Amino acid sequence: MGLKLRKTANFLLAFLLTAACFLLLLFPLPASAGAEEERYLCEWEDGTSSTEGYASAFACLTGIGDDGWIELKRGTHVGRIRPSFAAMHVADVFRAGELAELIALDLSGLSRIERAALFCEYGDCVWYAGDAFRYTGRSVSPSEKMGAKRVSLLMGELPEGFLKLYAAASLHLGPDAEFRAADLIGSRVCTVTAAQPYRAEGGQIFLDTPGGRRLVAALPDSEELVLFESDFADMGALSACEGLRSLTIPYAGNMRDPLGREYRGEVAWLFIREGAYCVPATLEHVKVTGGKLGAYAFYACPNVVSIDACGLAAEDVSAQAFLGADGLCLLHTPRADVVLDGEFSSRTAPCGCTVYERITEEEE
């Protein structure tokens, strides 16, 4: 009986092995077969070229360049592999596509090195549209994994503290984003890109509206900030700039001219957080290049030591404009009759403005 069982077992084993070989002939393992067959032409910066297999290319893969080419680095030599049109399309969608495009992407036709390069470049990115999405190497899917080098806000608002929690260094704003300056508070974001109607320039974020251009926010790492021209400024637009030392603004408050009941002319308007003035203690120097300065325009700016209003018309500056700037030591203004707290000397500057300097106790 034992011999008969052994013969039967051997027969079944032989049959199974034969069947397995037959199936492998019909349906070879795609990863193994593909890895051996794929070869990539790499053009090196010294003018030479080489044919790379997947293993050798992956070993020195660094990511994707600005032009979409796959980049390798072997020692000190930099090489590039031309991607397929399909891979370039995927990269374009990853860079600035909408959620529906991201989810619908078909990566099955890409080479292994293309998929690896895309993961190297975008595997640590998060797209947000009500939920967080990531590229897994096969598709873009919802993910609860924390942390990201880049966050792309596709639509709607970010949850409170999202950018800080994810420690993102780069931010992209899609056309349907609803972005607020408060989203940047405490974050590490140092670069930003945007699609219309948003615009990102010099670390500043603007929104183009039918009524004009709005200043929405500035990046939190700003220390010396010269604001570009805009028609309006959101409340708390600079609230994330907690280390700001020097600020140049095209007007004080929320708009250039006092056109109605909604006009707010305080410099501190730009730093409102949760309903309170939060002008950073580091802010010492302010220059205003346009608009008007009403009474107490520098209220809640106790640490500002110098103010430059040269270039404004005298009639556009209130005599009480600088009251509230308790730490003021140096003032350059077109008016010669301003009211200041403390003792100041005055002199006429070459431009015709009056320069006021605080008199210290030693000088008295």
Side-chain angles (χ1 to χ4, degrees):
M1 178 66 76
L3 180 59
K4 185 175 181 180
L5 284 174
R6 283 196 298 272
K7 287 184 177 181
T8 302
N10 290 338
F11 174 80
L12 289 173
L13 179 61
F15 175 80
L16 291 174
L17 288 173
T18 303
C21 292
F22 179 75
L23 289 173
L24 285 174
L25 287 174
L26 289 178
F27 307 104
L29 294 175
S32 300
E36 294 179 0
E37 294 173 359
E38 286 187 2
R39 293 290 184 271
Y40 321 108
L41 178 64
C42 181
E43 300 176 5
W44 298 92
E45 60 183 353
D46 61 3
T48 62
S49 61
S50 64
T51 300
E52 304 287 335
Y54 173 75
S56 63
F58 181 80
C60 51
L61 176 65
T62 60
I64 299 175
D66 293 337
D67 58 359
W69 283 52
I70 299 168
E71 294 188 342
L72 312 180
K73 188 171 184 181
R74 184 170 290 148
T76 59
H77 297 290
V78 176
R80 307 195 320 150
I81 297 174
R82 181 192 296 273
S84 65
F85 287 115
M88 294 186 73
H89 169 69
V90 171
D92 287 341
V93 174
F94 279 174
R95 193 161 35 247
E98 298 180 359
L99 180 61
E101 295 177 293
L102 288 163
I103 294 176
L105 282 173
D106 180 8
L107 284 71
S108 61
L110 303 187
S111 68
R112 295 186 71 202
I113 198 62
E114 288 173 337
R115 292 199 299 272
L118 287 167
F119 189 81
C120 179
E121 194 70 27
Y122 297 101
D124 198 19
C125 298
V126 165
W127 295 272
Y128 192 88
D131 284 305
F133 295 79
R134 289 181 185 271
Y135 170 49
T136 65
R138 296 180 179 274
S139 64
V140 175
S141 308
S143 172
E144 296 182 356
K145 178 185 175 183
M146 304 299 290
K149 69 178 183 181
R150 178 179 186 262
V151 169
S152 181
L153 177 57
L154 301 179
M155 64 176 68
E157 299 179 352
L158 287 171
E160 183 177 353
F162 187 90
L163 293 174
K164 178 181 179 180
L165 185 63
Y166 275 67
S170 179
L171 171 68
H172 176 76
L173 298 177
D176 297 318
E178 298 175 19
F179 187 73
R180 306 156 298 180
D183 293 330
L184 291 169
I185 294 176
S187 77
R188 300 180 183 178
V189 174
C190 56
T191 61
V192 60
T193 58
Q196 280 290 329
Y198 287 96
R199 186 189 304 269
E201 299 179 12
Q204 301 165 44
I205 301 171
F206 299 91
L207 180 65
D208 293 328
T209 72
R213 191 186 199 199
R214 277 174 43 201
L215 171 67
V216 176
L219 295 183
D221 63 346
S222 304
E223 294 184 359
E224 297 182 3
L225 188 58
V226 179
L227 293 181
F228 296 115
E229 290 291 332
S230 64
D231 300 295
F232 309 97
D234 283 358
M235 180 174 65
L238 305 184
S239 57
C241 304
E242 298 175 308
L244 194 62
R245 296 185 292 108
S246 173
L247 175 64
T248 299
I249 50 179
Y251 52 85
N254 63 343
M255 62 182 72
R256 180 176 293 277
D257 297 310
L259 300 176
R261 291 179 300 174
E262 295 183 358
Y263 174 71
R264 295 286 297 273
E266 310 99 317
V267 172
W269 164 270
L270 296 169
F271 299 96
I272 291 178
R273 183 190 299 186
E274 297 180 352
Y277 292 122
C278 295
V279 179
T282 55
L283 182 61
E284 295 185 340
H285 310 286
V286 177
K287 182 175 183 178
V288 185
T289 61
K292 299 182 180 183
L293 291 176
Y296 292 90
F298 288 86
Y299 173 75
C301 298
N303 296 303
V304 170
V305 297
S306 74
I307 298 173
D308 185 351
C310 181
L312 275 68
E315 60 269 22
D316 289 335
V317 179
S318 168
Q320 293 81 35
F322 308 102
L323 293 175
D326 300 333
L328 185 62
C329 294
L330 179 65
L331 171 64
H332 190 130
T333 173
R335 287 196 68 145
D337 60 345
V338 298
V339 181
L340 300 173
D341 287 327
E343 297 294 324
F344 286 80
S345 65
S346 64
R347 57 183 171 85
T348 301
C351 61
C353 291
T354 300
V355 175
Y356 295 86
E357 294 182 85
R358 184 180 291 275
I359 298 173
T360 63
E361 293 182 359
E362 290 81 3
E363 292 175 324
E364 293 178 349

